[in-house]
Amino acid sequence: MSTAAPTRPAPWTFAAPWGARGYVSDLDGPVHWIEFTPGDSPAGTPIVFVHGLGGSHLNWCLIGPGLVDGRRAVALDLHGFGLTPGTRATATVQRNTGLLDRFVREVTGTPVILAGNSMGGLISIMQASGVPDSVAGLVLIDPALPPPRQVPDRQVGSRFLMYALPGIGELYLRSVQSRQPPQLAVQRVIELCFADPSRIDPAMFTASIALASERQSQGPRAGNEAFLAASRSLMRVVGLRGRYWEMMASIRVPVLLVGGEADRLVPVASMRQAAARNPAWETVILPGVGHTPQLGVPDSVTVTLRDWLRKHF
């Protein structure tokens, strides 16, 4: 039986505008996470938010406070992202699935409801399939999925091709890092992930820039290596289409799939294909929404998740 991981308050307060408190737990190294729930030991099944490639705990601050009714709601930073250190060896989706498993066993307790976006959705699927006793339900928000048989978005396709090429990916990220201040880096992510970049919450924009500045001050090299390791391992997993479909089909807990119809990174055709292959899943496709609905249309996502939680938990 696992013991509780040693935990201390975190020195950072990027999520404070949304009433979240930060902590660092020792899980063979420091792991940063935030909690939206007041310390009153709620009895409901905890919900654990898992961010995507290049994301962090901040990705969940616009919906986390609205989902704490009777349950704990926490968001962790995976190895190599947010405020959790990572390396080429620790930042793969396989190693981060192992981190998630330790986190839910030693920090929140199991079983949990996992809510994952993009790469975090893939990792949540891997956890639910590989360690089914640890997961009571899944919320998949534009999860990384096998691509459809169609020409990909040109900007997305060319970028991920560069990430995949040894040496080229490293050179590309070094050149981008050297000329891109934090505000521009955040703005470019918003333009890629939002169908309508004007929907970004101003406080979230400010907090994201502050977090990007903090990460940049820690040195870009480790962050670049972690990002490339994560992206390359992600592409390998989604590239094994049959194995990935089998993982999804093995899941026996309630699943809510939420997709943005205007997502450039995970085409809506992929989400419709996942829904068709898994008819027991509940699927909501949001028109005019991009890759991060929890940031683009947080009120709609909160209502959708609340309704699903009331139905199943």
Side-chain angles (χ1 to χ4, degrees):
M1 181 177 178
S2 298
T3 57
T7 298
R8 65 184 187 276
W12 306 285
T13 58
F14 299 111
W18 298 276
R21 297 176 182 176
Y23 300 91
V24 176
S25 293
D26 183 3
L27 298 168
D28 290 335
V31 174
H32 176 262
W33 55 282
I34 61 170
E35 181 152 20
F36 297 102
T37 313
D40 55 359
S41 301
T45 306
I47 185 167
V48 177
F49 299 107
V50 191
H51 65 75
L53 186 67
S56 75
H57 63 281
L58 287 179
N59 291 178
W60 304 103
C61 286
L62 301 185
I63 68 169
L67 298 172
V68 298
D69 185 20
R71 73 181 73 251
R72 295 183 72 186
V74 305
L76 80 159
D77 286 336
L78 298 169
H79 282 309
F81 299 95
L83 297 164
T84 297
T87 65
R88 183 178 303 181
T90 63
T92 64
V93 294
Q94 293 83 1
R95 289 290 296 273
N96 269 321
T97 303
L99 170 61
L100 177 61
D101 183 60
R102 286 199 62 184
F103 182 82
V104 298
R105 292 186 183 279
E106 300 180 34
V107 176
T108 60
T110 59
V112 298
I113 300 159
L114 293 178
N117 173 228
S118 192
M119 179 183 75
L122 181 153
I123 288 171
S124 297
I125 289 169
M126 292 172 69
Q127 178 68 18
S129 175
V131 196
D133 69 292
S134 68
V135 179
L138 276 181
V139 177
L140 304 173
I141 302 178
D142 290 86
L145 293 169
R149 309 289 188 183
Q150 65 184 47
V151 177
D153 179 278
R154 186 171 66 179
Q155 181 183 356
V156 172
S158 61
R159 185 174 297 187
F160 275 86
L161 177 60
M162 282 190 286
Y163 295 159
L165 296 173
I168 302 298
E170 285 80 358
L171 179 62
Y172 172 72
L173 284 185
R174 281 199 302 271
S175 65
V176 167
Q177 286 279 357
S178 66
R179 67 172 188 267
Q180 194 165 248
Q183 181 167 344
L184 179 58
V186 171
Q187 183 63 42
R188 286 185 170 173
V189 171
I190 292 168
E191 290 170 357
L192 183 64
C193 293
F194 280 59
D196 179 1
S198 69
R199 285 177 167 170
I200 184 66
D201 178 87
M204 177 57 62
F205 188 53
T206 298
S208 298
I209 294 169
L211 176 57
S213 298
E214 173 67 20
R215 285 181 55 80
Q216 196 172 84
S217 72
Q218 297 173 2
R221 180 175 177 180
N224 288 351
E225 290 182 351
F227 183 92
L228 288 173
S231 63
R232 289 166 178 170
S233 64
L234 182 156
M235 285 186 276
R236 285 193 291 271
V237 173
V238 299
L240 298 171
R241 305 171 70 90
R243 187 175 300 176
Y244 197 7
W245 295 130
E246 288 173 5
M247 273 199 303
M248 285 190 273
S250 73
I251 294 169
R252 295 290 178 263
V253 297
V255 179
L256 171 65
L257 176 64
V258 179
E261 192 172 41
D263 189 341
R264 296 170 61 191
L265 289 106
V266 181
V268 70
S270 290
M271 286 175 277
R272 288 183 171 136
Q273 183 179 27
R277 284 178 167 270
N278 300 279
W281 293 9
E282 296 170 51
T283 302
V284 176
I285 302 296
L286 301 169
V289 176
H291 187 58
T292 50
Q294 76 277 20
L295 293 172
V297 286
D299 292 345
S300 295
V301 173
T302 299
V303 169
T304 299
L305 265 65
R306 276 182 184 161
D307 290 344
W308 181 81
L309 289 167
R310 288 192 194 104
K311 181 177 178 181
H312 294 284
F313 298 96

